[in-house]
Amino acid sequence: MNFLRLSDLDLAGKRVFIRADLNVPFNADGSLADDTRIRATLPAIRHCLDAGAAVMITSHLGRPVEGALAAADSLAPVAGALSSLLGHPVPLVKDWTDGGFGVRASELVLLENCRGNVGEKADDPRLAARIARFIDVYVNDAFGTAHRKECTLHALALAAPVACAGPLMTAELDALGRALAHPARPLAAIVAGSKVSTKLTILESLAAKVDVLVLGGGIANTFLAARGCEVGASLHEPDLLDAARRIERRLAEHGGVVWLPEDVVVADRFAPDADARNHDTEHVPPGTMILDIGPQSRDSLAGVLARAGTIVWNGPVGVFEMDAFAAGTRALASAIAASPAYSIAGGGDTLAAIARFDVGEQIDYISTGGGAFLAFLEGSELPAVAALRTRARTASRRIGPVPQFEHEPELS
């Protein structure tokens, strides 16, 4: 994929603006619940500081009202976490869009929640132009928000003198490009979830690309019903049976297949202590719900994945949060971990399953993007990535030195 990388640039003496994803979770008492996203930004920050750049970093946090940032929306806790991780103070700068603050070479400042700026959500080019006046290099290292067309993700990338991808963004695009643009064959995609309707465009896009489309959850139930199977009281969408048949036909046109379970685990109620029983998919009893795949299906799926060249995983194949219905997703995770295929996984439920079954070290790449990962699978052009690609064709390398300030403005 054609885009400029941070590692391509000489940053000495340059003013570098990093758009990161520091949208971290908090505990009920306001303390930081998880600093994973903050730690993930450190390679980009350290690379720029070590190169002698003057570094500014910002992110969104939550959904603040533009122009009326509340205390709960502040990145102050993130500034504290960055200070601890880097071993030196990281000032938090408020009201920063006109550049009235100082930052010297090999120093870092955190710019307050960018979604508090009027014009951020609207991708305002006038706001982008104001910010672009005091930066030399724009770095997007926030793949998780790359599907959003907002000022610091899109318009600023087009307005800045130079725009590039940071190491996190680069790793995501390289991994996704390898998995979908130039995959080792056979390419197997696992797509699971409650509804076909929420992933219809993803399924239609993948149907033209993959060799095996593995389906689980309510999505699989809809496809089973489209094949004429009785699914009892299982979650499915009767109005999308024709869509399911269309997707199967599209796969068949290029020799691809849809994988569906041949046996399933059912129960008469959705509960951890429900009486779980195994049935083949031709004989699901009325009034019961399919909540996992059965043992024959687990073996079949393991065989499919063992023969794959590339695996893309999004979604569990059962209600893995309940022990009675976790065996299918456990077997799926183990099969991906054991497969010689190049594997990439993404999505909140998928990451939770990876953590529960402890296979993270055996997955080749775990995407940090939820919505962006799904949009990429869908075949949508991500606005932030589109801007970087545009700038790779037009970028100027003529970038100026860090300005010298006679008086350092007060940082808050």
Side-chain angles (χ1 to χ4, degrees):
M1 189 174 290
N2 184 26
F3 56 91
L4 194 62
R5 300 162 188 255
L6 180 62
S7 56
D8 295 333
L9 298 175
D10 176 5
L11 302 175
K14 305 304 188 295
R15 299 161 296 187
V16 177
F17 180 104
I18 301 173
R19 174 52 161 100
D21 182 2
L22 303 172
N23 188 31
V24 291
F26 291 90
N27 296 311
D29 63 1
S31 61
L32 199 64
D34 181 21
D35 67 354
T36 300
R37 288 180 175 175
I38 300 174
R39 291 178 181 275
T41 67
L42 297 180
I45 292 170
R46 286 178 171 142
H47 176 86
C48 295
L49 293 176
D50 291 346
V55 187
M56 302 157 267
I57 186 169
T58 194
S59 171
H60 73 286
L61 179 65
R63 301 178 184 275
V65 176
E66 290 187 359
L69 201 67
D73 302 317
S74 176
L75 288 174
V78 175
L82 275 172
S83 298
S84 297
L85 290 167
L86 292 170
H88 56 75
V90 176
L92 177 66
V93 183
K94 300 178 180 178
D95 303 320
W96 51 268
T97 57
D98 289 320
F101 60 92
V103 55
R104 297 187 175 89
S106 297
E107 290 184 349
L108 169 70
V109 296
L110 176 62
L111 308 180
E112 185 59 282
N113 192 337
C114 58
R115 279 194 183 160
N117 299 327
V118 176
E120 172 68 16
K121 292 282 286 182
D123 196 34
D124 188 347
R126 294 166 297 181
L127 174 60
R130 290 210 314 270
I131 299 170
R133 283 198 292 265
F134 61 84
I135 68 176
D136 298 316
V137 178
Y138 167 87
V139 182
N140 191 324
D141 212 27
F143 176 79
T145 56
H147 58 305
R148 302 190 183 281
K149 194 174 184 182
E150 299 178 1
C151 181
T152 55
L153 296 166
H154 181 260
L156 183 56
L158 297 175
V162 173
C164 67
L168 267 181
M169 176 72 82
T170 297
E172 292 275 0
L173 296 179
D174 285 347
L176 288 165
R178 178 176 174 180
L180 293 175
H182 306 288
R185 299 283 180 173
L187 168 57
I190 300 126
V191 181
S194 59
K195 294 183 178 180
V196 172
S197 55
T198 60
K199 294 186 178 178
L200 182 59
T201 52
I202 295 171
L203 294 170
E204 290 177 331
S205 176
L206 289 175
K209 301 173 184 176
V210 306
D211 302 297
V212 183
L213 184 58
V214 175
L215 302 177
I219 292 175
N221 299 341
T222 299
F223 276 73
L224 286 169
R227 288 185 180 181
C229 297
E230 292 295 331
V231 295
S234 306
L235 176 65
H236 70 293
E237 295 174 283
D239 57 331
L240 287 176
L241 301 187
D242 285 341
R245 296 183 188 109
R246 183 177 68 247
I247 290 167
E248 288 222 52
R249 289 195 300 270
R250 189 170 187 184
L251 271 154
E253 288 170 1
H254 65 84
V257 296
V258 168
W259 181 95
L260 289 170
E262 56 201 273
D263 64 336
V264 290
V265 179
V266 305
D268 59 359
R269 58 196 180 94
F270 188 83
D273 60 348
D275 182 19
R277 299 184 180 183
N278 193 69
H279 288 274
D280 66 63
T281 52
E282 298 290 334
H283 300 94
V284 173
T288 63
M289 297 175 285
I290 298 172
L291 298 176
D292 197 8
I293 63 174
Q296 293 179 50
S297 299
R298 293 170 216 153
D299 292 342
S300 168
L301 183 52
V304 167
L305 298 179
R307 295 187 294 272
T310 305
I311 298 170
V312 178
W313 179 19
N314 176 246
V317 292
V319 186
F320 73 95
E321 298 89 349
M322 299 181 188
D323 289 343
F325 312 110
T329 303
R330 180 185 292 107
L332 169 63
S334 297
I336 295 173
S339 174
Y342 177 77
S343 56
I344 181 169
D349 288 342
T350 308
L351 270 58
I354 289 171
R356 174 168 182 183
F357 303 122
D358 194 25
V359 295
E361 293 298 320
Q362 288 79 49
I363 306 294
D364 289 294
Y365 192 82
I366 299 174
S367 175
T368 61
F373 180 78
L374 294 177
F376 199 103
L377 294 186
E378 187 178 292
S380 300
E381 185 167 51
L382 307 181
V385 177
L388 293 179
R389 292 177 63 188
T390 297
R391 294 309 311 279
R393 296 191 294 268
T394 62
S396 166
R397 299 294 182 92
R398 294 174 298 181
I399 52 182
V402 175
Q404 299 301 311
F405 295 91
E406 290 185 10
H407 304 285
E408 291 294 322
E410 182 178 351
L411 301 178
S412 54

